[in-house]
Amino acid sequence: MKRSLPPRVLIFSDEPEHYVPTLKRRFPNVPVASCIRYADLQGALSEFQPTVALGCKFEKLPWPREAFFESPSLEWLSVTAAGIEHVTPWNEERIAVTNFSGIAAVDMANYVLAAIFGLHQGFAHFFAQQSRKMWDYQLVRQARGITVGLVGLGHTGEEVARHCRAVGLKVVAYRSSAIASDLVDRVYSGDEFHKMLGEVDVTVACAALTPQTMDMFNAAAFAAMKPGSYFINVGRGKLVVEADLIAALQSGHLAGAQIDVARKEPLPPDDPLWDAPNILITPHACSDFIGWEAVAADLFADNVQRWINGEPLHNQVYSSRGY
């Protein structure tokens, strides 16, 4: 793939100050420009003619993917998110695309581990009772000896597996590839999805959103889960048919759930998910931490150095597979 050197870097963000100083410090001879409004992007691309762009989502408007991919000068687009559904499709032979997957993997794994123990400790129920000022003593469940089933084994899934194993939990995973992993006790693939769901005590969704994973957690999937098991979603909201999740919670087939993502964000006040029993909902926050921008700037700068050196880029993603 063509790599024009030195690169010309466009920062597309309403807060370019998080990225520009790092680039100027590490690459004083690399031209850097900024664009802080969606409406100005087309002009910035035409005037500056970048070969590399960092693309953020920061306005409540459709992301201007066409402007990037129609730019004749652009050779590499770095997306400041893990999900790339707002970017696909693109011509892989003309433009390289990378994402920031893994930047918050440890923090997301911390969240999942907290959710696993919180679900077993009945935090959702006790929080609801606290809001009613009710002292409602109940026995809680042990998490000792449980099996956690990961759906997706990318950066986040691997870190969740490490965390779970560190506290003595058994971990298995379902993913598109049947290749074994030292981080889990077993890898399920192909038509074994429901089989895995029926054998685990906690299902953790951390898969990318693709045409194949859209709505994969539907009524059939929830029915296949072990009665009294738990569900955690830190992947994408559209992995889940939310009405089916609500039904599984209402029927008691699922003992509880914790989700950090929803099909529609922000979740509307009248959405029935809010009132589902034994569920904790967080506002897509488990991957955001104070100071993440500095980490992101360093990750991007490291990749710029790899681009200059002619080395493979970290976190390159592909339109043909959606991750």
Side-chain angles (χ1 to χ4, degrees):
M1 184 172 290
K2 178 184 176 183
R3 296 190 180 190
S4 298
L5 298 175
R8 297 174 59 82
V9 182
L10 177 68
I11 304 299
F12 180 58
S13 168
D14 59 339
E15 297 179 315
E17 64 273 13
H18 291 309
Y19 307 99
V20 173
T22 298
L23 291 174
K24 288 187 175 295
R25 172 176 54 82
R26 292 185 57 175
F27 310 104
N29 297 322
V30 169
V32 179
S34 302
C35 177
I36 62 172
R37 295 199 317 155
Y38 279 32
D40 297 335
L41 177 60
Q42 189 72 59
L45 290 166
S46 298
E47 180 179 346
F48 184 63
Q49 294 290 300
T51 56
V52 174
L54 179 79
C56 302
K57 291 175 67 177
F58 53 92
E59 291 185 17
K60 294 181 179 179
L61 294 169
W63 201 71
R65 55 169 302 280
E66 293 86 359
F68 283 111
F69 294 133
E70 291 173 3
S71 169
S73 64
L74 194 66
E75 299 169 12
W76 165 33
L77 172 64
S78 176
V79 181
T80 60
I84 59 169
E85 54 268 21
H86 62 296
V87 181
T88 54
W90 70 87
N91 184 344
E92 296 176 1
E93 296 181 359
R94 194 179 79 80
I95 295 180
V97 177
T98 59
N99 68 359
F100 276 11
S101 178
I103 193 173
V106 171
D107 302 270
M108 295 176 73
N110 288 338
Y111 175 99
V112 170
L113 200 61
I116 290 170
F117 290 116
L119 287 165
H120 282 80
Q121 290 287 332
F123 282 2
H125 170 77
F126 290 131
F127 178 75
Q129 298 303 78
Q130 177 184 337
S131 67
R132 303 182 181 98
K133 300 181 180 180
M134 294 180 62
W135 185 275
D136 182 23
Y137 172 82
Q138 291 189 14
L139 292 175
V140 298
R141 297 171 64 178
Q142 281 192 326
R144 185 183 307 165
I146 66 167
T147 299
V148 177
L150 307 178
V151 180
L153 200 56
H155 292 291
T156 299
E158 289 185 344
E159 200 60 50
V160 172
R162 292 187 185 96
H163 277 54
C164 289
R165 278 191 157 181
V167 295
L169 305 182
K170 182 179 178 181
V171 189
V172 298
Y174 176 87
R175 64 176 178 182
S176 57
S177 168
I179 299 173
S181 168
D182 292 339
L183 294 174
V184 299
D185 296 284
R186 177 178 174 181
V187 170
Y188 297 76
S189 64
D191 61 0
E192 296 181 308
F193 179 49
H194 286 183
K195 176 178 173 61
M196 188 201 77
L197 296 180
E199 296 176 356
V200 301
D201 303 289
V202 181
T203 299
V204 181
C206 43
L209 180 64
T210 68
Q212 292 71 40
T213 62
M214 173 86 76
D215 297 335
M216 68 186 305
F217 291 99
N218 52 23
F222 289 120
M225 292 180 187
K226 183 187 293 188
S229 63
Y230 298 105
F231 176 71
I232 299 168
N233 188 9
V234 292
R236 286 288 179 267
K238 290 182 180 179
L239 299 176
V240 179
V241 179
E242 291 174 344
D244 296 342
L245 171 59
I246 294 170
L249 289 166
Q250 289 175 336
S251 70
H253 182 72
L254 284 184
Q258 184 154 337
I259 62 171
D260 188 56
V261 288
R263 294 186 78 94
K264 185 174 183 180
E265 298 180 3
L267 192 63
D270 60 350
D271 195 286
L273 265 177
W274 292 113
D275 298 316
N278 295 320
I279 189 171
L280 282 177
I281 301 171
T282 52
H284 207 145
C286 76
S287 58
D288 291 339
F289 55 91
I290 297 171
W292 74 269
E293 297 93 345
V295 178
D298 284 336
L299 175 63
F300 178 59
D302 289 346
N303 246 359
V304 171
Q305 186 64 67
R306 297 180 73 85
W307 181 264
I308 292 171
N309 294 346
E311 299 170 347
L313 297 173
H314 283 310
N315 283 8
Q316 185 162 355
V317 291
Y318 299 92
S319 180
S320 54
R321 68 187 190 192
Y323 59 92

